Amino acid sequence: MENDRTEKLRLIKDEVLALKSSPLYEERVASDVFPVIGEGDHYTSIMFIGEAPGKNEARTGRPFCGAAGKVLDKLLASAGIERKSVYITNIVKDRPPGNRDPLPEEIECYAPFLDRQIEIIQPEVIATLGRFSMDYIMRKFFLDQEIETISRMHGKEYDAKAPYGSVKILPLYHPAVAIYDRSKFGELEEDFKKLSKYIKEGK
Ligand code: URA
């Protein structure tokens, strides 16, 4: 039931909005910005998980709407995937100040919300963007033994078991790497092609 998923995701949004215990809550209020929960098709087979919102994302409350988002949009287009047909979120829902890497306690604080998003959307494939989400997702699905550097893991599909059934994990470089290193765009493009097969008819 459509409303059911949307309702559950809305509840997550309300909870994150009220999350005073977050190490990033004060910063959000002081900067007068928004948490970024996620957006896209609640019935998709493909879920992307990035790192944390940047400046543009926190200003608008939308994931990947700045420079990295432009790269992501090109990659989706090159794989023939419409952005509105996938779901895009991050592990950390609030912006770490100065675009620094998320801290372990920030990941720990927001991970339960990501876990719930995965259980609600039940994707067939989880495409991680960057090493933080790759690390978290591999460990969450008991694939710790398989963890190597992202340069060795990107583009490989890993089989995992979720409470709702089987799921593939596809680690990808973070799209931001292609802003400064053009050669990475080609590698990302190759990896994104692997997602085309998960797009359902009519999506
Ligand atoms: N980088 C991320 O990891 N997520 C965003 O939403 C934007 C940039």
Side-chain angles (χ1 to χ4, degrees):
M1 275 187 340
E2 183 137 33
N3 286 345
D4 192 37
R5 287 190 186 189
T6 303
E7 264 314 302
K8 287 179 177 160
L9 290 164
R10 192 171 299 132
L11 189 62
I12 290 177
K13 182 176 181 176
D14 292 344
E15 287 178 37
V16 173
L17 274 167
L19 196 67
K20 292 196 175 147
S21 59
S22 162
L24 294 171
Y25 181 83
E26 291 298 332
E27 181 76 25
R28 182 213 298 165
V29 173
S31 318
D32 195 20
V33 291
F34 301 103
V36 176
I37 310 303
E39 72 176 15
D41 184 350
H42 300 168
Y43 284 80
T44 187
S45 43
I46 305 176
M47 183 165 180
F48 287 94
I49 305 174
E51 199 171 295
K55 201 175 190 171
N56 289 294
E57 288 77 17
R59 208 180 275 153
T60 58
R62 294 188 53 225
F64 285 93
C65 63
K70 285 208 177 85
V71 179
L72 177 62
D73 288 349
K74 280 190 197 153
L75 290 163
L76 287 168
S78 77
I81 299 170
E82 280 193 276
R83 180 167 166 142
K84 66 173 168 39
S85 73
V86 301
Y87 191 82
I88 305 173
T89 187
N90 292 300
I91 310 192
V92 171
K93 311 299 189 195
D94 277 294
R95 181 183 182 227
N99 285 351
R100 62 157 169 74
D101 287 345
L103 300 173
E105 58 267 33
E106 291 162 359
I107 293 176
E108 198 183 320
C109 167
Y110 293 100
F113 297 102
L114 175 64
D115 292 346
R116 280 162 62 191
Q117 287 174 303
I118 295 170
E119 283 188 26
I120 294 166
I121 293 170
Q122 309 187 2
E124 270 175 52
V125 58
I126 295 175
T128 57
L129 299 168
R131 64 196 160 94
F132 289 97
S133 55
M134 176 184 94
D135 235 66
Y136 176 73
I137 291 295
M138 291 296 283
R139 290 182 206 283
K140 169 179 166 61
F141 288 105
F142 309 107
L143 293 168
D144 316 40
Q145 302 288 330
E146 308 278 346
I147 299 178
E148 297 178 82
T149 59
I150 193 161
S151 56
R152 294 178 81 93
M153 290 178 68
H154 76 91
K156 288 190 197 163
E157 291 176 56
Y158 296 84
D159 289 308
K161 201 98 202 97
Y164 59 85
S166 51
V167 60
K168 299 268 187 201
I169 297 163
L170 177 66
L172 300 169
Y173 282 123
H174 194 287
V177 301
I179 298 172
Y180 302 105
D181 179 354
R182 278 296 301 173
S183 70
K184 285 281 193 309
F185 188 83
E187 287 188 66
L188 271 159
E189 238 180 352
E190 279 308 302
D191 292 348
F192 265 66
K193 281 186 195 148
K194 304 196 170 137
L195 289 168
S196 314
K197 61 180 175 289
Y198 295 102
I199 286 289
K200 289 185 195 134
E201 277 301 297
K203 288 268 176 189

